[in-house]
Amino acid sequence: MAGKWLKISVLIMAFAFILTGCSDESGGEAGTNSDQTEITLGFYSSGSADEKMNELIQKFEEEHPDIKVKTQNAPYQQFFQKLDTQIAGGTAPDVWLSDGVFVQKYAERGAAKDLTEWINEDLEKDEYYGLDFNKDSDGKYWGVPQGIQIGALFYNKDMFDQAGVEYPDESWTWEDLKEAGAKLTIDTDGMKADDASFKPDSVKQYGLTFFNITEGWMPVMKSYGGGVLGEDLRNSIIDSEENKEAINYIVDGMERGIFTDPSDLQAFQSPMSPFPSETAAMRIGIYARTLAANETGVNYDVTVLPKGPDGERFSPTIANSWVISESASDEKAKAAWEWVKYWVQEDEVQKEWAALGEAVPVKKSVANSELFLESGDKPANKQAFLDSFEHAGTLDVNAVWSEWVKKFGDNINRAFLNETSVEEALENADEEVQKVLDEFYENQ
């Protein structure tokens, strides 16, 4: 368990010292007094949101004069690299903001504190979105959501109007999306994907841009009845007829030039650029993608993601969460829990963070208020994100999520690029992902 972290090499420790120089650490103006408990709070930086985070920390300290907060923050990659090393060395922050896909990694490796008892005592669980996404198979809670990212279908209204295609709605299937996408895909000669002379290798406007696990293959596979891991999250279910049907659907869209493939995305500064740059008419996007779309002024809206062939719908969800360190003393852990409660229970805190537009508010009363739904910023149909919770699910997150995602991605990308068959890609991915799972869980 915790000993696994100690096996991380001395070289990584040395790297952490370098990273320390890149991170921002701040403490109180004049340290703590004897009546205060000082806690260290870690979070990954997100531009202008840092200022708001520090404002909220200051207000928390004013309302909790017995607690002093020292902060540690750094850009996303550096923050989590350093955090792994801090955990190995027993110097992790007392409470930190975790990407939702990493919470189970910390839990299963003994780095996170079990919050079940405190959550049961202090939180009305029905009042919050995403709380159960941090619950393991034994019913234990390992984190409390800080903000929710949930997937929806983004569409460019101007492109749809120009093509004479009706806007997508909740009745759409993935086949409806492809049919509409063909009318929205245009090559450099102005031909559409439905035209006989269309050139799929010379596309200037795509019907759908397709990117990675969350905003790419996972929602399609799940809505086709497939997925990557079984319910126990320790066994691969990749090599299935449902997944074969889903991946064949995607590959067909890519071969016809309607969907971007991994090679197409290399032409962009970021694989997330085609929709905000108006090179693609649609995208699968989490809530945070509204920021880039709003910055570029795209005339867009959103709706729920399409249904699979049997009517199933899947909305990928990431509950970025507060995690309390297992190595924190009882005194510091209790003080850290006060911060977590302050974050999720206080309407004013939720409203101030929601105003940044980075995530769906955790507290349902705030998410369903005019502040979120009628903020004035696009998209107009923010209700679609809340409706998507009816079909929400995690990304089969477990302790080795990053490792198996890479194995699956490497194999499936070869099918997307026609370097191998769909059948072979799924067979290889199934074998390699299972090996990753076995190597970790058989040693537990």
Side-chain angles (χ1 to χ4, degrees), residues 31-32 38 63 105 134 156 160 192 306 311 330 337 346 359 361 372 441:
T32 58
E38 181 180 89
E63 295 184 22
K105 162 184 160 181
N134 291 320
N156 184 311
F160 272 72
K192 296 185 177 180
D330 288 347
W337 179 243
E346 296 291 334
F372 176 71
Y441 288 109

Side-chain angles (χ1 to χ4, degrees), residues 122-339:
D122 294 342
L123 300 184
E124 293 292 336
K125 287 178 276 192
D126 290 343
E127 293 183 355
Y128 305 100
Y129 286 120
L131 200 57
D132 283 355
F133 291 151
N134 291 320
K135 192 165 66 172
D136 66 15
S137 57
D138 294 327
K140 295 180 179 178
Y141 291 91
W142 299 97
V144 174
Q146 176 257 11
I148 305 293
Q149 300 295 340
I150 187 164
L153 180 65
F154 288 51
Y155 60 95
N156 184 311
K157 297 170 71 174
D158 289 343
M159 288 181 178
F160 272 72
D161 291 342
Q162 290 163 10
V165 178
E166 291 189 10
Y167 298 154
D169 59 30
E170 65 277 5
S171 71
W172 270 30
T173 65
W174 288 106
E175 288 296 342
D176 292 329
L177 181 146
K178 187 182 287 182
E179 184 178 340
K183 296 179 173 62
L184 291 155
T185 301
I186 304 171
D187 69 13
T188 52
D189 293 331
M191 296 292 107
K192 296 185 177 180
D194 283 340
D195 298 326
S197 57
F198 173 77
K199 295 182 293 186
D201 295 330
S202 184
V203 176
K204 71 174 184 181
Q205 176 179 302
Y206 295 92
L208 174 76
T209 184
F210 203 82
F211 170 65
N212 78 14
I213 172 175
T214 317
E215 298 163 309
W217 39 264
M218 184 67 96
V220 182
M221 289 167 60
K222 291 271 189 176
S223 58
Y224 269 72
V228 176
L229 305 184
E231 289 186 5
D232 63 358
L233 300 175
R234 298 187 179 197
N235 287 287
S236 169
I237 59 167
I238 292 171
D239 194 14
S240 70
E241 289 301 317
E242 291 83 359
N243 284 336
K244 193 178 301 180
E245 188 179 0
I247 300 300
N248 275 322
Y249 164 85
I250 296 168
V251 169
D252 175 71
M254 291 177 173
E255 288 179 340
R256 295 170 60 190
I258 301 170
F259 304 165
T260 55
D261 67 24
S263 177
D264 298 325
L265 295 177
Q266 292 178 6
F268 296 88
Q269 283 189 328
S270 162
M272 292 179 282
S273 296
F275 186 80
S277 67
E278 300 196 83
T279 312
M282 293 179 280
R283 71 163 299 162
I284 303 166
I286 56 176
Y287 184 77
R289 305 301 178 228
T290 63
L291 294 175
N294 290 338
E295 285 175 3
T296 56
V298 176
N299 183 21
Y300 76 104
D301 208 340
V302 300
T303 186
V304 294
L305 287 171
K307 296 178 288 190
D310 295 328
E312 289 187 48
R313 201 190 310 272
F314 178 79
S315 301
T317 309
I318 301 171
N320 297 325
S321 297
W322 294 112
V323 170
I324 295 178
S325 174
E326 174 64 10
S327 63
S329 67
D330 288 347
E331 180 185 8
K332 289 178 181 289
K334 289 177 182 176
W337 179 243
E338 291 301 315
W339 162 257

